[in-house]
Amino acid sequence: MLLTNTWTLVLAAMATTSENPTPFEWYKLLISSFGPGLTTALLVGLFSFFFNRVLERQKRTHAEELLNIGSNLNKSLQEKLETDRSERAELLEHLRRDIQDTLASRARRAEYLRTQVTSLYGPLAFLLESTAIRHKCATDMIDAVTHLNSTLDGQPSNHLAKEKKAKLHGTIEKYLTLAIENTSTTLSLLKSNWGWLDENDRPTITDFMRNADRIDTETKTTDDYSHVAIIYELTISGKAVLAPPGINAGTLAAYFRTRLNEKQQELSGLTGSPIQAKAIEKLAS
């Protein structure tokens, strides 16, 4: 475009000059023809040069800024990752310690329960169950004799002979003696393993021991029990002065059967399956 305009000017200038132009006229013709084009080209070139330099400078500046932003972002991300990694490691360490403490606590509780069951609650439940069974055998025999006597009442020829009655009462006494022996064994067990008894079970046991001592003292060591038994019958305002001693063996056996079952279930829950226990220990290690 620039060359087309220039040649147009040259042709126009040549048309206006004389037929034999002087060198000066040629110089003037060339200057007037090519001067504006060269000036324009120079200006455009200079503008393009400086514009490209500005662009290059801005590109370098933007590139440096982008590098700085990328570097800062990468540094920030690294710091964030390090912080997160540190916090995660700390949390895992706390979790591991908590699991270890929990496992140690469960192990201590399991060992305590195991000792309670084997040293006290298991044997105690057995002795009380056995006492209840022997006491039931005695009361069943008493009820049978009483029923038989009432059935044969009014038939003198069919009354139980004294010898047979003595044998029946002797059998009843044997069952009662076995129950009393169990009570004595139970007291010995409590004496040697009292420390393993739970606090909330002590009122039941102390009531059992009080009645056992009363039975032993008031029925076995008294020369004339009938004189002592009178006090159970005396009343003041319709109430007995002193209730006779007695142990409800069945109720006591049922109570400690339940307590033994509770401890066994708790112990089973603490120990769990071997696979589960190994998994927890591996997590804590």
Side-chain angles (χ1 to χ4, degrees):
M1 183 68 180
L2 179 61
L3 292 175
T4 303
N5 293 335
T6 302
W7 283 111
T8 303
L9 292 173
V10 170
L11 293 175
M14 289 177 65
T16 58
T17 56
S18 59
E19 293 180 357
N20 296 311
T22 62
F24 176 76
E25 289 176 340
W26 277 107
Y27 292 145
K28 182 180 178 182
L29 176 63
L30 290 174
I31 291 172
S32 62
S33 300
F34 291 99
L38 292 174
T39 302
T40 302
L42 180 62
L43 290 175
V44 171
L46 289 174
F47 177 78
S48 298
F49 174 75
F50 287 112
F51 182 74
N52 288 332
R53 290 195 61 182
V54 170
L55 286 178
E56 289 294 330
R57 189 181 301 112
Q58 289 181 347
K59 286 173 63 177
R60 286 196 300 270
T61 302
H62 291 327
E64 291 175 357
E65 290 177 353
L66 287 174
L67 288 175
N68 290 333
I69 292 173
S71 177
N72 293 333
L73 180 60
N74 185 49
K75 183 178 180 182
S76 177
L77 289 174
Q78 289 294 333
E79 291 176 353
K80 178 65 175 176
L81 288 174
E82 289 296 328
T83 302
D84 291 344
R85 189 179 295 111
S86 177
E87 291 177 354
R88 191 162 52 249
E90 187 176 355
L91 289 174
L92 288 174
E93 180 63 20
H94 283 304
L95 179 60
R96 185 181 67 83
R97 291 179 181 177
D98 289 342
I99 293 175
Q100 286 180 337
D101 292 341
T102 301
L103 288 175
S105 178
R106 286 165 62 94
R108 289 192 298 269
R109 178 61 179 170
E111 183 61 28
Y112 184 82
L113 285 171
R114 190 176 292 109
T115 304
Q116 274 192 312
V117 168
T118 56
S119 298
L120 180 61
Y121 281 86
L124 181 61
F126 168 77
L127 287 171
L128 293 174
E129 292 277 9
S130 178
T131 301
I133 291 172
R134 292 172 176 180
H135 189 268
K136 184 68 168 54
C137 290
T139 55
D140 287 346
M141 183 68 71
I142 293 172
D143 292 340
V145 172
T146 302
H147 177 72
L148 186 60
N149 280 332
S150 63
T151 302
L152 298 177
D153 192 21
Q155 303 178 21
S157 60
N158 291 327
H159 273 210
L160 292 175
K162 289 185 179 180
E163 183 180 352
K164 292 181 180 180
K165 285 185 178 181
K167 288 183 178 180
L168 289 174
H169 286 297
T171 303
I172 294 171
E173 287 296 328
K174 286 180 181 179
Y175 282 126
L176 292 176
T177 299
L178 290 174
I180 292 172
E181 289 177 356
N182 268 20
T183 300
S184 178
T185 305
T186 301
L187 292 174
S188 297
L189 174 69
L190 290 169
K191 180 180 179 180
S192 59
N193 294 281
W194 182 260
W196 296 110
L197 186 68
D198 285 348
E199 183 66 28
N200 56 344
D201 293 330
R202 291 186 181 182
T204 303
I205 287 297
T206 52
D207 183 68
F208 162 75
M209 293 189 300
R210 181 177 63 85
N211 279 285
D213 285 344
R214 285 192 62 197
I215 291 172
D216 185 66
T217 303
E218 296 173 20
T219 63
K220 289 179 62 178
T221 61
T222 304
D223 294 334
D224 192 351
Y225 176 70
S226 61
H227 291 169
V228 177
I230 294 175
I231 199 171
Y232 306 143
E233 301 173 1
L234 295 177
T235 60
I236 298 177
S237 300
K239 295 182 179 180
V241 176
L242 180 66
I247 296 175
N248 193 329
T251 302
L252 200 61
Y255 175 81
F256 278 96
R257 186 190 313 129
T258 301
R259 294 292 291 128
L260 175 62
N261 185 54
E262 290 173 353
K263 291 188 175 296
Q264 288 174 327
Q265 287 184 349
E266 184 183 357
L267 180 59
S268 176
L270 286 173
T271 53
S273 64
I275 296 177
Q276 182 182 12
K278 289 181 179 179
I280 296 175
E281 290 177 359
K282 184 176 181 181
L283 180 62
S285 61

